[in-house]
Amino acid sequence: MTPSLPPSEEALRLREEVIDWFVHRRSANWNSRDERLFQDWIDADPKHADAYRQWESRWQAFDAIAPGTVAGWREGFAGSQVVASTRRGFLKPALALAAAGVVAGGSYLGWSHQQAQPVFAQAFATQRGQQLEVPLPDGSVLRLDTATRLEVRYFRQRREVRLIDGQAVFAVQSDAKRPFDVLAGPLQVRVVGTRFAVRYTPTMAGAEGARVSVEQGRVRVARMDRASDGSWAGSASGTEPQGAVFLTAGQQVHSDAEGALAAVSAIPGDGIAPWREHRLSFVDTPLARALAELERYGSTGLVVRDPAVAALRLSGTFDPRDARTLRRALPSALPVRLRGDGPVAEIVAAP
């Protein structure tokens, strides 16, 4: 399916003009002078007449809708301070929503459109070496690690965070009526109230998948489906995706880049998000990958060019802010030495 293009500025402007004329022609103070101005506008461009006839047709379909259905929509509009006492009274908001494409096949979907709009939306990002704690409107708190980007959107019936890159800890305020979803690449994490960490670093070699670790409570982790445009789409509220796993405190699971889940494993409480205390722990990790992880927090001043050295396995705990100690520790932890004592040193095999 070919995605539809957004309307041009000219099309949007024409819609606004049509809505204004449509509303004003049905007002009580419409007079003959107004009608002449309207006819002049119609005659000015053939597109005007065509667009106006389309709205007349849609409004006729709207008039045929049962009064009870219209009353339900009016209650929905009331939530956003768009209230009217008659069917004609909310013609302008009705047409405004129709302009957004919510009128089709003679049925008016204003109520659904209104419910689908976020009541809160905000993007957050941290720079290299920075951490950020973000309180949200419902009392939930996010802790963003270095080089992390995410988007928060709250709807009337659900809460959603899309983790674009990096990692974060989520302390979610319980609200059974509004589940909390974290979308991290191919994975969807759904909770009601808990504390957990999610990592998604799609551009980092060897760590392109997502990882979920639970510190408190219970979460559901599921693989999302690919949409027609290649993006990931989560499951709807109330549905149970196939292959979902449930994690409790002290458990974690990770996926590959396509969302295939590995086996659930145990993780100690202090290992869920040690970066909060400026600690990075490696267990039998290739040296090249460990260096890449440390570089997310700041420059180490270290490079490795020999593939054999890059493949050496490193274990240990390091402060990513302390590059000097790292330089001293590496020759003790691995059979390597540093070549060069300037701003950048190469890690080479020890003789």
Side-chain angles (χ1 to χ4, degrees):
M1 179 183 296
T2 302
S4 59
L5 296 174
S8 65
E9 291 186 8
E10 179 183 1
L12 292 173
R13 184 168 57 252
L14 179 57
R15 285 173 176 175
E16 287 295 323
E17 292 178 3
V18 168
I19 292 173
D20 284 337
W21 283 118
F22 209 127
V23 172
H24 293 153
R25 287 192 80 203
R26 280 150 180 78
S27 64
N29 58 358
W30 183 264
N31 54 43
S32 58
R33 179 179 177 277
D34 295 328
E35 183 64 22
R36 286 195 302 271
L37 292 173
F38 169 71
Q39 292 301 329
D40 290 341
W41 177 80
I42 288 289
D43 295 339
D45 190 328
K47 295 179 182 177
H48 294 176
D50 291 339
Y52 195 83
R53 280 194 297 268
Q54 289 179 18
W55 290 120
E56 281 188 318
S57 175
R58 290 183 175 184
W59 186 247
Q60 289 171 1
F62 179 63
D63 264 347
I65 297 173
T69 302
V70 176
W73 291 336
R74 185 175 296 121
E75 291 177 3
F77 283 122
S80 60
Q81 298 181 345
V82 181
V83 187
S85 59
T86 66
R87 174 190 295 261
R88 298 282 181 176
F90 68 110
L91 168 64
K92 185 66 177 288
L95 286 173
L97 289 171
V102 297
V103 174
S107 63
Y108 184 72
L109 304 180
W111 168 241
S112 298
H113 176 86
Q114 184 69 15
Q115 291 297 302
Q117 302 309 300
V119 295
F120 173 82
Q122 184 69 54
F124 300 97
T126 53
Q127 302 299 317
R128 189 184 190 194
Q130 179 190 18
Q131 292 186 12
L132 178 66
E133 188 166 282
V134 178
L136 297 178
D138 64 339
S140 299
V141 179
L142 310 185
R143 177 76 175 269
L144 281 65
D145 190 21
T146 180
T148 294
R149 294 181 294 130
L150 56 77
E151 297 173 348
V152 180
R153 295 194 302 169
Y154 278 17
F155 300 86
R156 288 166 176 79
Q157 297 180 341
R158 62 188 175 89
R159 298 167 288 173
E160 178 182 289
V161 174
R162 183 173 296 275
L163 179 58
I164 301 169
D165 197 356
Q167 58 186 347
V169 170
F170 301 80
V172 178
Q173 184 70 28
S174 178
D175 186 346
K177 295 182 179 179
R178 288 199 303 167
F180 192 106
D181 287 344
V182 178
L183 310 180
L187 295 189
Q188 178 188 37
V189 186
R190 173 162 293 177
V191 302
V192 172
T194 187
R195 186 164 60 248
F196 60 102
V198 181
R199 177 189 175 106
Y200 178 56
T201 48
T203 61
M204 188 172 178
E208 300 91 344
R211 186 180 68 214
V212 182
S213 309
V214 178
E215 190 169 69
Q216 177 182 309
R218 184 171 183 260
V219 305
R220 185 193 74 189
V221 182
R223 179 179 182 174
M224 295 197 288
D225 297 323
R226 283 282 193 186
S228 59
D229 61 357
S231 62
W232 296 100
S235 64
S237 179
T239 63
E240 193 66 45
Q242 292 184 350
V245 299
F246 290 87
L247 303 179
T248 57
Q251 292 184 321
Q252 70 173 355
V253 70
H254 67 270
S255 78
D256 62 16
E258 292 301 313
L261 293 173
V264 174
S265 60
I267 184 171
D270 60 358
I272 288 176
W275 49 264
R276 288 177 291 184
E277 284 76 42
H278 305 287
R279 291 185 295 108
L280 294 183
S281 295
F282 304 106
V283 178
D284 202 31
T285 303
L287 176 59
R289 181 171 170 180
L291 286 177
E293 180 67 18
L294 289 161
E295 286 284 340
R296 295 182 64 244
Y297 296 82
S299 175
T300 62
L302 298 172
V303 297
V304 56
R305 299 185 177 94
D306 184 340
V309 174
L312 293 173
R313 319 296 284 196
L314 177 67
S315 296
T317 298
F318 303 89
D319 184 338
R321 303 168 299 175
D322 188 358
R324 183 176 300 178
T325 298
L326 175 66
R327 288 191 176 206
R328 291 199 303 265
L330 277 179
S332 300
L334 296 172
V336 299
R337 64 182 179 86
L338 302 186
R339 177 187 292 166
D341 54 4
V344 178
E346 181 182 0
I347 306 173
V348 299

